[in-house]
Amino acid sequence: MTTTVTGATAEVELAIGGMTCASCAARIEKKLNRMDGVTATVNYATEKAKVSYGAEVSVQDLIATVEKTGYTAEEPAPPEPEGGDPAASSADELRPLRERLVTAVTLAVPVVAMAMIPALQFEYWQWLSLTLAAPVVTYAGWPFHKAAFTNARHGAATMDTLISVGTLAAFGWSLWALFFGTAGTPGMTHPFELTIARGDGAGNIYLEAAAGVTAFILAGRYFEARSKRKAGAALRALLELGAKDVTVLRGDGREQTVPVGELKVGDRFLVRPGEKIATDGTVVEGSSAVDASMLTGESVPVEVSEGDAVTGATVNAGGRLVVEATRVGSDTQLARMAKLVEDAQNGKAAAQRLADRISAVFVPIVIALALGTLGFWLGNGAGLTAAFTAAVAVLIIACPCALGLATPTALLVGTGRGAQLGILIKGPEVLESTRKVDTIVLDKTGTVTTGRMTLLAVHTAESTDEAEVLRLAGALEHSSEHPIARAVADGALEKLGSLPTPEDFANVPGLGVQGIVEGHAVLVGRERLLGMGVPPLERSREWGRAMELPVELARVKAQAEASGRTAIAVAWDGEARAVLEVADAVKETSAEAITRLRALGLTPILLTGDNETVARAVAREVGIAPEDVIAEVLPQDKVEVVKRLQGEGRSVAMVGDGVNDAAALAQADLGLAMGTGTDAAIEAGDLTLVRGDLRAAADAIRLARRTLGTIRTNLFWAFAYNVAALPLAAAGLLNPMLAGAAMAFSSVFVVGNSLRLRSFTAAK
């Protein structure tokens, strides 16, 4: 049982037992919502109730209300202990149902065969049919009868009521015909009826219908249960990703292996090659490649070193790491992902709420329709047998289960598959938003670009070696914390591997840095720094002379600045030697992502606080039209831009990653938060993209639209099935056994159609 307190209300999640169809979930939900201050949502597919309640109600009151309704409520099962086998647990849950199904099929097949094939009908064959059918109807069908009785005690009727009444009626009629009619007469045949053409014939028995319907519906329930387990497999796999044990480094240097639940914020722990990282943290020692594919869907390992953040449940694919824990337990990214997915799976779309309301009144309507069918055919002189056959078919053909499974199974599979690909869908209402959006606003920094300055190019004067430029400039910049300096230093380290240590380092505020590197007096910064005639240091007189950029370097500098990049001059020993181009680099995948978004019918708009020149340069590089660039926007004004676009009649999606994007994400019709961004942005978004790749935005919209399409297909099938099947049954055109098969198939079809979402793949 998970309880969360929010303001004056609390939320609890309960595991519900005993539900057999959507009308069960509707009854429980209705009873809970009648309690003062209670708002409940009961999900048939996940078998959970999410309840908000006030101070005047306790959790025990909620459980008692569920139990009074005829069901059970308790804490959700705890996670599998270390070494536990989830597959074995699933098999244990299904074993009783499987045993009843095997019994039913084994005994029902010869009963149906004897009824359908005259050649198999020998003297007293009806009594053998009774012997075989009795265990099927009583033992195998006991769960239906038990549930129907329990519901009747509470003045309710569910799908089990229809099945129980239908099969017991067929079985009871057959008993009466055998013992008091002519059905037990030697040589009596039993033609397989498909119509109501027969008269009242007291010799007709329906043992094959009673046994066959029970077997078919048990088969449907079993495959439905298995499919529901598969549908939720992605979430269970996500929850099982985390490490079980962790090697903690104690203050005296001692290594101690403890359960991961004992890890605390601030603890330092060891991660050896091939091991899972126990929790979210920061690397304090070592460097390695980390495989995060299980969380982000990104197959390429990410290089990490001292100071880099790492995520729990990812795998250390390279060297030895020492990590300091920054988040543990429910605060970790893995736990938050699992909570987002579970919340989404427990939600209900508007169409599903309509289906639930129909399911709640469906069973009483069907019972009334069955009685009406019986009376109609009797009144029209069709005979008792024909009227009885049609009435039983009506009872058995009705299936609100398919209605109840239509949305939650698609959500289970769709959100679970999304989690495997690094896409988190917050709830079913998000799906409808993805269908309507026609404009997508992209925050530039951290979304379209990397969000960090990068050394893009080195332009050298004649007879100047690029490696020497990088060595001297990189060594000097390595002593500075400025983002541009870090970009130069990182670029130099990446190409050279190591850098010398500078002497007499000094920062010139607003202009650059200076110092002595390998005996050279080096300046790195704006062109103004070179022309100022910086006062010389004692060890070098070269800084005292003003310098100018050569014509070729001046031209390169002007071109770089026209493209929205930052140009940095490098000089040493009194001579300008090079120009470095630094910029917030566009992500390699951004242009491809823009193409995919356009293919989905979306118009991309670039939104940034940067100047117009920089914004247009980035837009040109990724394929966004100049008229779709909105630049020099203050952080607090981003939400106004979204409102203005909505005022123009557009349905707007917004992609962002920073605190200053949170309000705009919340205002947009669809908010997509980059998981590499801030908690505020992720909280405000409707979809979270765990990996920082803009292509995931296109994949997320595709997956959400496909999940919505699957829900609609399921609901159409569920409604169409009942609309078509009930009149056929009432008209006497369906044998009860065929009605049972059709009913079972409808639920299996809906779940099977949802499982097709497991094949969804991110575009390559």
Side-chain angles (χ1 to χ4, degrees):
M1 179 173 62
T2 304
T3 306
T4 306
V5 178
T6 308
T9 63
E11 286 188 355
V12 64
E13 187 179 84
L14 300 173
I16 305 297
M19 292 192 297
T20 56
C21 66
S23 55
C24 298
R27 282 189 59 232
I28 298 170
E29 189 172 299
K30 185 177 180 180
K31 290 286 187 181
L32 288 172
N33 284 324
R34 283 180 176 173
M35 300 175 70
D36 291 338
V38 172
T39 303
T41 300
V42 180
N43 192 310
Y44 170 51
T46 60
E47 298 180 340
K48 290 181 181 178
K50 188 174 183 180
V51 189
S52 299
Y53 60 97
E56 65 277 11
V57 177
S58 70
V59 174
Q60 291 306 315
D61 293 335
L62 299 174
I63 293 175
T65 298
V66 175
E67 291 176 345
K68 287 178 184 177
T69 313
Y71 304 90
T72 63
E74 58 185 4
E75 299 180 19
E80 287 292 323
E82 184 182 359
D85 185 354
S89 175
S90 176
D92 289 342
E93 292 175 11
L94 294 175
R95 183 175 294 116
L97 184 57
R98 184 173 60 249
E99 289 174 351
R100 293 183 189 274
L101 174 60
V102 170
T103 300
V105 171
T106 302
L107 299 178
V109 167
V111 174
V112 174
M114 285 188 288
M116 293 177 61
I117 305 172
L120 298 178
Q121 295 170 358
F122 53 90
E123 189 173 2
Y124 298 115
W125 67 270
Q126 299 95 330
W127 297 99
L128 176 60
S129 292
L130 175 63
T131 304
L132 296 174
V136 177
V137 176
T138 55
Y139 165 72
W142 175 246
F144 307 133
H145 310 316
K146 180 183 177 183
F149 177 72
T150 301
N151 288 319
R153 285 174 50 210
H154 292 86
T158 66
M159 188 62 215
D160 293 298
T161 306
L162 302 182
I163 298 168
S164 179
V165 170
T167 54
L168 288 178
F171 187 72
W173 176 276
S174 300
L175 284 177
W176 184 86
L178 281 168
F179 285 98
F180 304 106
T182 59
T185 304
M188 175 72 185
T189 59
H190 184 91
F192 184 64
E193 295 182 329
L194 292 178
T195 70
I196 60 167
R198 295 282 307 269
D200 64 355
N204 293 321
I205 61 173
Y206 291 95
L207 293 172
E208 84 285 353
V213 165
T214 302
F216 276 126
I217 295 176
L218 277 173
R221 288 273 173 94
Y222 176 73
F223 290 116
E224 175 188 309
R226 282 192 59 185
S227 297
K228 282 164 63 179
R229 293 286 300 176
K230 288 181 181 178
L235 177 57
R236 290 193 299 276
L238 190 64
L239 292 169
E240 292 159 8
L241 279 177
K244 300 294 188 296
D245 297 313
V246 57
T247 303
V248 179
L249 300 178
R250 299 306 183 189
D252 56 3
R254 180 170 49 91
E255 296 181 5
Q256 181 181 3
T257 301
V258 300
V260 73
E262 296 182 11
L263 199 60
K264 297 180 178 62
V265 172
D267 283 349
R268 294 192 173 190
F269 58 92
L270 177 65
V271 189
R272 300 179 181 86
E275 289 184 343
K276 289 181 179 179
I277 296 173
T279 192
D280 298 355
T282 302
V283 178
V284 295
E285 183 183 318
S287 61
S288 181
V290 172
D291 179 4
S293 59
M294 67 289 297
L295 291 183
T296 67
E298 180 58 60
S299 58
V300 180
V302 178
E303 295 292 334
V304 298
S305 57
E306 187 176 333
D308 289 334
V310 291
T311 304
T314 56
V315 178
N316 178 15
R320 178 183 184 273
L321 294 175
V322 176
V323 179
E324 182 174 310
T326 56
R327 288 177 175 175
V328 297
S330 61
D331 293 331
T332 64
Q333 182 172 338
L334 175 64
R336 292 168 66 197
M337 284 176 63
K339 184 67 168 63
L340 281 172
V341 174
E342 191 166 17
D343 287 347
Q345 292 177 348
N346 284 330
K348 290 187 180 182
Q352 184 60 37
R353 294 189 182 278
L354 173 62
D356 286 350
R357 286 196 293 272
I358 293 172
S359 296
V361 298
F362 191 79
V363 173
I365 290 174
V366 169
I367 292 175
L369 182 59
L371 292 174
T373 300
L374 180 66
F376 173 81
W377 288 115
L378 287 175
N380 280 271
L384 184 59
T385 299
F388 176 80
T389 302
V392 170
V394 167
L395 286 174
I396 292 172
I397 196 69
C399 181
C401 294
L403 289 174
L405 292 168
T407 294
T409 52
L411 273 176
L412 276 171
V413 184
T415 54
R417 181 57 182 151
Q420 292 174 329
L421 297 173
I423 300 165
L424 305 182
I425 302 172
K426 279 198 174 177
E429 63 282 350
V430 172
L431 304 178
E432 190 65 27
S433 299
T434 62
R435 182 184 65 83
K436 297 183 294 184
V437 292
D438 53 33
T439 301
I440 185 163
V441 177
L442 308 171
D443 177 60
K444 179 182 76 69
T445 305
T447 300
V448 177
T449 64
T450 61
R452 63 180 185 276
M453 302 300 283
T454 305
L455 178 61
L456 300 180
V458 179
H459 304 281
T460 61
E462 272 189 62
S463 69
T464 301
D465 180 55
E466 180 180 327
E468 187 176 16
V469 171
L470 287 173
R471 187 174 69 256
L472 299 180
L476 201 59
E477 295 282 48
H478 197 261
S479 298
S480 173
E481 294 299 322
H482 193 281
I484 293 177
R486 300 306 308 166
V488 173
D490 290 345
L493 281 169
E494 185 178 345
K495 290 195 175 183
L496 303 179
S498 62
L499 298 171
T501 302
E503 301 174 51
D504 296 330
F505 172 83
N507 178 57
V508 184
L511 294 177
V513 293
Q514 62 185 31
I516 305 297
V517 183
E518 295 181 338
H520 300 286
V522 183
L523 292 171
V524 183
R526 296 187 180 184
E527 186 179 5
R528 283 176 54 203
L529 180 64
L530 276 61
M532 286 179 60
V534 180
L537 296 179
E538 183 180 343
R539 293 181 56 183
S540 175
R541 303 297 174 188
E542 300 299 339
W543 278 322
R545 183 166 65 84
M547 293 167 279
E548 293 183 356
L549 286 175
V551 175
E552 182 61 26
L553 291 182
R555 183 182 64 79
V556 167
K557 174 179 175 293
Q559 290 176 342
E561 291 175 343
S563 299
R565 297 175 178 177
T566 300
I568 304 169
V570 181
W572 66 81
D573 297 340
E575 186 176 339
R577 310 280 184 157
V579 167
L580 308 179
E581 283 189 49
V582 176
D584 179 7
V586 172
K587 294 178 181 177
E588 294 180 359
T589 58
S590 290
E592 182 184 347
I594 298 299
T595 300
R596 293 184 185 179
L597 291 170
R598 287 190 187 279
L600 292 171
L602 305 177
T603 300
I605 292 179
L606 187 68
L607 181 66
T608 180
D610 277 351
N611 64 63
E612 191 81 21
T613 301
V614 173
R616 288 183 179 273
V618 171
R620 184 167 54 251
E621 188 171 346
V622 299
I624 295 177
E627 62 270 20
D628 291 329
V629 175
I630 304 175
E632 301 180 25
V633 177
L634 295 175
Q636 61 268 29
D637 293 336
K638 289 183 177 182
V639 68
E640 296 302 323
V641 172
V642 173
K643 286 181 179 179
R644 176 168 58 81
L645 292 170
Q646 290 171 327
E648 296 172 0
R650 304 195 195 196
S651 184
V652 180
M654 167 80 185
V655 186
D657 72 333
V659 171
N660 57 11
D661 297 324
L665 287 168
Q667 173 64 36
D669 299 287
L670 179 68
L672 294 92
M674 303 294 277
T676 52
T678 64
D679 292 347
I682 293 171
E683 186 65 29
D686 300 309
L687 290 165
T688 300
L689 314 177
V690 178
R691 65 184 192 270
D693 185 340
L694 189 56
R695 291 179 300 182
D699 290 333
I701 293 173
R702 279 199 308 117
L703 175 60
R705 287 179 175 178
R706 185 167 165 187
T707 303
L708 179 63
T710 301
I711 289 173
R712 290 180 167 178
T713 301
N714 287 349
L715 286 171
F716 171 80
W717 167 261
F719 278 113
Y721 160 80
N722 282 295
V723 168
L726 280 173
L728 288 175
L733 300 176
L734 281 178
N735 178 275
M737 187 175 64
L738 294 181
M743 190 276 276
F745 175 74
S746 67
S747 294
V748 174
F749 171 85
V750 164
V751 179
N753 187 51
S754 298
L755 287 173
R756 293 170 59 230
L757 287 168
R758 297 172 74 188
S759 64
F760 179 89
T761 56
K764 300 297 183 183

